[in-house]
Amino acid sequence: MRLSKTYTVAKYIILSSRNWIYAVLAFTLMFPILWLTLLKIVGNPQYMSYFVVGTVVNTSFLIPFLGTSQDLAYLRRGSAVYTLLFSNGAGHWDIALGYITQLITLNLPSIASLLILSVLVIGVSYGVVQILATIATAVFISLSSALLGYALAMGIKNYRIVNQLAQIIPWPLLLLAPVYYPITILPPALRYVSLALPTTYMALAINGSLSLNQVELIKGLLGLLVYSSASILIARYAVIRGEVNG
């Protein structure tokens, strides 16, 4: 893997999709803001800070996971683009990291704008340090989510199945984890289930960065590091298996 190849792949994907980039950016920002507004109207006022955490986690997690799993599965199995990049010297990880790099780069303005608008919509107050720390944490979450998506894309040969699973998987990850609410609301049995979900650690990390709680932040990041490492191992095995079996 070479950084120059990764940069070339990221640049190629951005340029090839430049006609709809701004539409996607607007689309990804519109629904989180509408969701925040709805939560402020009908949600419990004591959970306002959790609504911000949940919305940031949703944006940082959902877009990279869906984009990476669906796009790379299609590029790998149903498109000539992957073969074109591979035949021009880019390796599997060059293509993966190139795609993930451009995805996170395009998602970053949405995350930053979302945090600033959250202050206006919800009425909570965050300092510059909190916003910068949360943006950095959100980037790490996006990377971890993209790696989860890449493991799914490489692990299943039929890209249509990947598309379907990518639509289903996020719902239990967002609903069964304490993302929009504290873990104390969950029934005791589900609390143990939530400890096995990556979104729990995403919420923990974002809440830690917004509240400047180093213990929560470190716990969340360590949990995500475990999931990211597992995703890399799964994707590596799938790539090697594909090279052997075709």
Side-chain angles (χ1 to χ4, degrees):
M1 183 186 71
R2 289 178 293 178
L3 291 178
S4 60
K5 294 290 184 181
T6 300
Y7 170 76
T8 301
V9 171
K11 182 180 178 181
Y12 169 79
I13 295 175
I14 289 176
L15 291 176
S16 64
S17 59
R18 62 184 180 275
N19 293 329
W20 50 267
I21 281 177
Y22 297 109
V24 170
L25 288 176
F27 182 80
T28 57
L29 191 59
M30 178 177 63
F31 284 100
I33 294 302
L34 290 175
W35 180 240
L36 267 180
T37 304
L38 180 63
L39 286 174
K40 183 180 180 180
I41 295 173
V42 303
N44 192 321
Q46 66 178 320
Y47 297 140
M48 288 296 178
S49 60
Y50 288 99
F51 297 158
V52 177
V53 171
T55 307
V56 174
V57 169
N58 196 336
T59 304
S60 306
F61 160 67
L62 195 59
I63 296 171
F65 178 78
L66 283 174
T68 305
S69 57
Q70 294 182 341
D71 286 354
L72 282 180
Y74 175 72
L75 291 179
R76 182 76 174 93
R77 312 293 182 186
S79 170
V81 173
Y82 199 100
T83 303
L84 174 66
L85 295 172
F86 195 77
S87 63
N88 279 278
H92 294 290
W93 289 108
D94 296 320
I95 297 172
L97 292 180
Y99 179 86
I100 291 172
T101 298
Q102 64 85 28
L103 186 67
I104 292 176
T105 301
L106 296 179
N107 199 33
L108 189 57
S110 297
I111 296 170
S113 301
L114 181 61
L115 282 169
I116 296 172
L117 291 172
S118 295
V119 175
L120 301 176
V121 175
I122 295 296
V124 292
S125 179
Y126 300 119
V128 175
V129 174
Q130 291 166 292
I131 291 177
L132 291 177
T134 303
I135 291 174
T137 304
V139 169
F140 187 77
I141 289 174
S142 296
L143 175 60
S144 179
S145 302
L147 289 172
L148 287 170
Y150 184 59
L152 179 65
M154 294 294 104
I156 299 176
K157 289 186 177 182
N158 191 327
Y159 71 88
R160 293 182 176 86
I161 295 178
V162 174
N163 287 343
Q164 294 170 357
L165 289 175
Q167 296 288 340
I168 296 172
I169 290 174
W171 290 108
L173 292 183
L174 290 171
L175 295 176
L176 297 180
V179 176
Y180 285 99
Y181 44 79
I183 195 171
T184 52
I185 286 184
L186 289 172
L190 287 181
R191 294 179 193 178
Y192 294 104
V193 174
S194 70
L195 294 177
L197 301 178
T199 41
T200 296
Y201 300 96
M202 294 177 189
L204 198 63
I206 291 296
N207 191 55
S209 61
L210 285 175
S211 61
L212 297 181
N213 187 322
Q214 294 184 3
V215 175
E216 282 193 350
L217 178 60
I218 291 173
K219 285 182 179 178
L221 294 178
L222 287 177
L224 290 177
L225 185 61
V226 171
Y227 275 98
S228 299
S229 301
S231 299
I232 291 173
L233 292 176
I234 292 171
R236 182 176 182 273
Y237 170 75
V239 167
I240 294 174
R241 184 189 62 188
E243 290 177 344
V244 172
N245 299 327

